[in-house]
C-alpha cells in the first residue's frame, strides 16, 4: 500500500528505508534483542510513536510474541543478530512454519566481512542452511537502493502467503561508508 | 530472615487436578477471552475442557505460551488473554516473565500448572519438585500480582479477579499426576486458522 510511490524515493540510510517499509506495511510491533549494528534502527523506532517497541530476554521469546500478535491481527518484526538467530530452529519449525504464521525476522549479519569474533564467524555459517532447510524465504540486503523494495516486498509476501521470512542485513549495507 | 511471606506458599497450597481447574477456568469465560494452551498436557486438558474458537493449542515451541499470549494481548488490548503453561515449560523461558512485567499488559494472566514433573516424557522431576518456586520467580521478575492458589475456590476467585481487574496476573496451581484422557489433534494450520477466526482476524 503506497509502496509504489514511496519506492521511487531515496533514503538517507538503511534504517530510514526499513522504517519506511515497516510503515508502508503497517508493521507496528518491534521486538528486539539488542545488537550494535541495529542500534540506529532501534533508536529511531523507539522515538517514533507509530511503533510499539520493547526488548526481550531471548530471541525465541520474541518470535513467540510476534507470532501471537500476528494471529491476533497486529503485524510485527523481530530484530536480532546472527548468534540470536542460531537459537531459533525449534520455534521456527514447530510454530511459525508448522502453523504458517508470518513471523518476519531481521538479522544483523555478524561473523562475516571483517568480524573479530571466532564464535560469530562459526555460528554465522549455520544461518542460511537453517533457513534453507526450513524453506523460509530470505534475502540478504546489500544495497541501500534496494533496501526499501526488499523489506517492503518481503513483508508483503510473508503476510499474503502466511509464511515466515527473514531479512539479513549484510555489512555491505550497514558498515559500508561509500553511501551518503 | 524476617520478611513478608505470602500467606499461601507452594508448600501449603492444595494439590489439585489440572483438568478440573481448566474446566473451572473456561466456565468463567463469557466474553470470548483468548486462551493459549502450552505444549503437552496443558493444551490436551484445554482441548478436553471445551473446544472454544478462542483457544490456541501449542503443538511445539515449548515454553512460549506466555510470550504468544503477550503478543495476543498487545494486539487486542480489549480482550482478556490467559496463558496455561506447565512448570517444565515455564522453566525454559523464565526471562519472558521479566518481559511481561516490563510491558505490563493489563489484559494478561499466566496460569502455571505445577506438578513438579516433566509428565509427558516419563515423569522426570522438575526443579520445582525440589527447590524452585515459580510464583516467587514471577514476583521477582516484577509481576507484583503473583500468588499460589490455596485450593479450588481460591483459584476461581483469582480467575474472577483476573477477568475484572488490571493485570498482569500470575497464578500458580499445584497439580497432581493425572494424565490427560484425550489429546489435541496434530493439525497446526487448522488450529491457527480456527484461532484467528475466533479472534475476528480471519473472515474466510
Amino acid at each position: 500500500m503506497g509502496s509504489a510511490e514511496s519506492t521511487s524515493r531515496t533514503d538517507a540510510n538503511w534504517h530510514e528505508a526499513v522504517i519506511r517499509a515497516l510503515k508502508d506495511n503497517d508493521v507496528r510491533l518491534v521486538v528486539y534483542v539488542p545488537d550494535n549494528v541495529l542500534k540506529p534502527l532501534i533508536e529511531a523506532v523507539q522515538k517514533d510513536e507509530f511503533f510499539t517497541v520493547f526488548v526481550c530476554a531471548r530471541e525465541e521469546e520474541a518470535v513467540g510474541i510476534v507470532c501471537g500478535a500476528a494471529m491476533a491481527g497486529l503485524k510485527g518484526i523481530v530484530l536480532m543478530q546472527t548468534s540470536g538467530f542460531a537459537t531459533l530452529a525449534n520455534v521456527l519449525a514447530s510454530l511459525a512454519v508448522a502453523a504458517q504464521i508470518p513471523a518476519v525476522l531481521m538479522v544483523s549479519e555478524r561473523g562475516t566481512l571483517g568480524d573479530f569474533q571466532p564464535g560469530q564467524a562459526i555460528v554465522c555459517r549455520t544461518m542460511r542452511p537453517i533457513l534453507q532447510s526450513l524453506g523460509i524465504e530470505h534475502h540478504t540486503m546489500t544495497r541501500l537502493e534496494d533496501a526499501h523494495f526488499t523489506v517492503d516486498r518481503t513483508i508483503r509476501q510473508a503476510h499474503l502467503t502466511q509464511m515466515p521470512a527473514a531479512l539479513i542485513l549484510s555489512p555491505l549495507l550497514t558498515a559500508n561508508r561509500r553511501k551518503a | 530472615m524476617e520478611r513478608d511471606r505470602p500467606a499461601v506458599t507452594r508448600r501449603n497450597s492444595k494439590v489439585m487436578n489440572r483438568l478440573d481447574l481448566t474446566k473451572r477456568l473456561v466456565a468463567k469465560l463469557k466474553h470470548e477471552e483468548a486462551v493459549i494452551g502450552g505444549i503437552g498436557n496443558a493444551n490436551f486438558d484445554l482441548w478436553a475442557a471445551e473446544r472454544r474458537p478462542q483457544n490456541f493449542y501449542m503443538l511445539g515451541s515449548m515454553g512460549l505460551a506466555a510470550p504468544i499470549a503477550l503478543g495476543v494481548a498487545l494486539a487486542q488490548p480489549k480482550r482478556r488473554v490467559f496463558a496455561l503453561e506447565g512448570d517444565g515449560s515455564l522453566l525454559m523461558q523464565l526471562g519472558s516473565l521479566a518481559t511481561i512485567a516490563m510491558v505490563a499488559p493489563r489484559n494478561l494472566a499466566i496460569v502455571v500448572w505445577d506438578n513438579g514433573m516433566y509428565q509427558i516424557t516419563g515423569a522426570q522431576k522438575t526443579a520445582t519438585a525440589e527447590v524452585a518456586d515459580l510464583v516467587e520467580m514471577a514476583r521477582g521478575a516484577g509481576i507484583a500480582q503473583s500468588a499460589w492458589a490455596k485450593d479450588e475456590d481460591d483459584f476461581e476467585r483469582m480467575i474472577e479477579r483476573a477477568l475484572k481487574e488490571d493485570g498482569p496476573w500470575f497464578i500458580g496451581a499445584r497439580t497432581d499426576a493425572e494424565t490427560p484422557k484425550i489429546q489435541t489433534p496434530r493439525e497446526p494450520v487448522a488450529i491457527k486458522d480456527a484461532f484467528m477466526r475466533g479472534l475476528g482476524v480471519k473472515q474466510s
Side-chain angles (χ1 to χ4, degrees):
Chain A
M1 277 165 252
S3 51
E5 59 180 295
S6 58
T7 303
S8 60
R9 296 216 324 248
T10 50
D11 298 287
N13 50 56
W14 68 268
H15 44 95
E16 213 169 89
V18 170
I19 288 173
R20 204 154 55 81
L22 296 178
K23 288 186 172 178
D24 284 346
N25 288 278
D26 203 31
V27 176
R28 290 173 181 270
L29 177 65
V30 181
V31 189
Y32 70 95
V33 178
D35 170 71
N36 203 33
V37 170
L38 292 166
K39 191 178 166 202
L41 175 60
I42 292 166
E43 286 177 351
V45 289
Q46 275 171 336
K47 277 190 220 136
D48 192 329
E49 286 191 356
F50 180 87
F51 299 103
T52 299
V53 187
F54 56 91
V55 68
C56 258
R58 211 166 157 72
E59 293 80 0
E60 214 184 0
E61 181 199 344
V63 173
I65 292 165
V66 164
C67 284
M71 290 192 287
L74 172 66
K75 290 180 192 166
I77 190 166
V78 183
L79 312 181
M80 74 199 85
Q81 66 168 233
T82 323
S83 52
F85 177 83
T87 68
L88 293 182
N90 184 55
V91 64
L92 291 175
S94 67
L95 183 64
V97 175
Q100 296 178 12
I101 303 170
V104 178
L105 318 176
M106 182 166 279
V107 189
S108 143
E109 189 173 19
R110 290 283 313 269
T112 187
L113 294 172
D115 212 295
F116 57 91
Q117 284 277 16
Q120 291 281 4
I122 298 162
V123 83
C124 178
R125 297 174 201 150
T126 68
M127 178 164 58
R128 287 177 184 82
I130 290 171
L131 288 164
Q132 273 150 16
S133 61
L134 290 172
I136 294 177
E137 172 95 0
H138 58 282
H139 298 282
T140 303
M141 295 167 58
T142 58
R143 286 159 38 95
L144 179 61
E145 304 86 280
D146 301 334
H148 175 273
F149 184 89
T150 307
V151 178
D152 174 51
R153 294 293 182 102
T154 301
I155 293 169
R156 207 191 305 174
Q157 180 171 327
H159 286 277
L160 287 172
T161 61
Q162 295 283 290
M163 289 289 178
L167 292 156
I168 300 164
L169 297 169
S170 167
L172 280 166
L173 178 73
T174 59
N176 197 335
R177 301 286 171 218
R178 85 184 132 71
K179 60 183 179 265
Chain B
M1 297 288 279
E2 291 297 318
R3 67 184 191 100
D4 263 357
R5 296 283 307 167
V8 183
T9 67
R10 187 180 188 281
R11 275 178 198 285
N12 70 16
S13 62
K14 185 181 170 188
V15 175
M16 298 173 276
N17 180 268
R18 187 180 50 236
L19 178 58
D20 173 56
L21 293 180
T22 307
K23 284 179 176 166
R24 287 170 189 260
L25 190 161
V26 295
K28 293 196 177 298
L29 305 181
K30 311 287 187 201
H31 301 284
E32 301 191 347
E33 294 85 352
V35 184
I36 312 300
I39 188 174
N41 294 344
N43 89 70
F44 297 161
D45 278 351
L46 178 62
W47 175 261
E50 192 186 325
R51 282 156 217 186
R52 306 167 61 252
Q54 294 81 26
N55 291 351
F56 183 71
Y57 307 93
M58 282 169 60
L59 301 178
S61 60
M62 184 168 172
L64 292 183
I68 292 169
L70 172 59
V72 175
L74 287 169
Q76 300 199 358
K78 289 188 180 144
R79 190 188 299 272
R80 298 273 162 171
V81 184
F82 289 82
L84 312 182
E85 190 67 293
D87 50 328
S89 285
L90 191 62
L91 283 168
M92 278 197 172
Q93 210 65 244
L94 288 172
S96 70
L97 297 177
T99 307
I100 286 164
M102 178 185 67
V103 176
R106 291 184 215 167
N107 54 334
L108 177 63
I110 302 160
V111 177
V112 65
W113 309 129
D114 183 359
N115 56 11
M117 66 178 98
Y118 298 96
Q119 189 177 21
I120 208 164
T121 54
Q124 301 87 352
K125 271 187 189 177
T126 60
T128 67
E130 304 283 350
V131 287
D133 185 317
L134 292 168
V135 167
E136 296 285 337
M137 285 178 173
R139 196 175 291 127
I143 303 177
Q145 302 178 116
S146 300
W148 287 104
K150 187 178 171 218
D151 53 28
E152 287 84 352
D153 289 345
D154 194 34
F155 177 79
E156 290 200 23
R157 277 193 297 273
M158 291 163 90
I159 297 298
E160 282 163 15
R161 276 195 77 187
L163 284 167
K164 269 187 271 174
E165 298 172 33
D166 284 352
W169 301 88
F170 186 94
I171 300 167
R174 291 186 69 190
T175 52
D176 60 31
E178 190 180 325
T179 51
K181 300 279 177 288
I182 54 170
Q183 297 198 353
T184 314
R186 265 62 164 196
E187 295 169 357
V189 178
I191 287 169
K192 179 209 69 170
D193 284 343
F195 183 60
M196 289 180 74
R197 287 188 192 101
L199 296 188
V201 175
K202 191 177 168 78
Q203 313 295 339
S204 57

